[in-house]
Amino acid sequence: MDIILSNVDGTPIYEQIVRQIKAKIVGGELQPGEALPSMRLLAKELRISVITTKRAYEELEREGFIISQTGRGSFVAPVGVELLKEEQLRRVEAHLEEAAKAAHLGNLEKDAFLEIAAAVFEEGI
């Protein structure tokens, strides 16, 4: 599994793993029922502690993205449409917060910010 970890990123390693696996599930790269690498294998591939991968998998399971079965492994959960929508909304909100901060720093008026956002939205379709 392609997961890229950054030591310069202030985000804890387990959160980086969670974020990237969630992105793969939401983006359709990982399908419901698909097996994830074992915690040990993922830890070995990423050259990190098994405790770190265990924490990431526990977080993913708590949020409903994966199902872990003793003796069988961890699998992508049959994620509901609402869960996917909620995750996408969180991502959009996070990006909009960053854009709003940048707009405030640049003393951009609300109407100009909204105009830019509308134009970007239309171009993305």
Side-chain angles (χ1 to χ4, degrees):
M1 179 180 303
D2 291 333
I3 293 179
I4 299 167
L5 301 177
S6 171
N7 289 327
V8 293
D9 185 349
T11 309
I13 300 291
Y14 85 94
E15 286 183 17
Q16 292 180 47
I17 295 168
V18 168
R19 183 179 64 231
Q20 291 179 52
I21 291 177
K22 281 170 43 174
K24 289 177 185 304
I25 293 170
V26 170
E29 189 176 330
L30 293 173
Q31 297 296 312
E34 188 173 336
L36 295 176
S38 72
M39 291 179 216
R40 290 185 191 279
L41 178 60
L42 186 60
K44 183 178 177 182
E45 287 176 357
L46 298 176
R47 296 187 177 125
I48 59 173
S49 165
V50 174
I51 294 169
T52 303
T53 56
K54 183 178 190 294
R55 187 169 180 191
Y57 277 28
E58 286 172 346
E59 179 72 21
L60 287 163
E61 187 167 21
R62 185 172 42 258
E63 292 183 21
F65 284 90
I66 68 170
I67 297 170
S68 296
Q69 299 172 347
T70 305
R72 292 197 61 221
S74 297
F75 303 86
V76 176
V79 181
V81 173
E82 290 304 313
L83 182 60
L84 290 175
K85 281 184 181 179
E86 185 63 32
E87 183 63 24
Q88 280 301 109
L89 281 175
R90 278 189 239 143
R91 291 174 67 191
V92 168
E93 286 174 0
H95 289 293
L96 283 173
E97 284 176 12
E98 288 300 314
K101 286 177 188 175
H104 282 291
L105 286 173
N107 293 321
L108 192 65
E109 295 290 326
K110 179 181 174 182
D111 290 338
F113 174 76
L114 293 175
E115 188 176 315
I116 292 168
V120 170
F121 183 81
E122 294 299 322
E123 288 175 11
I125 293 177

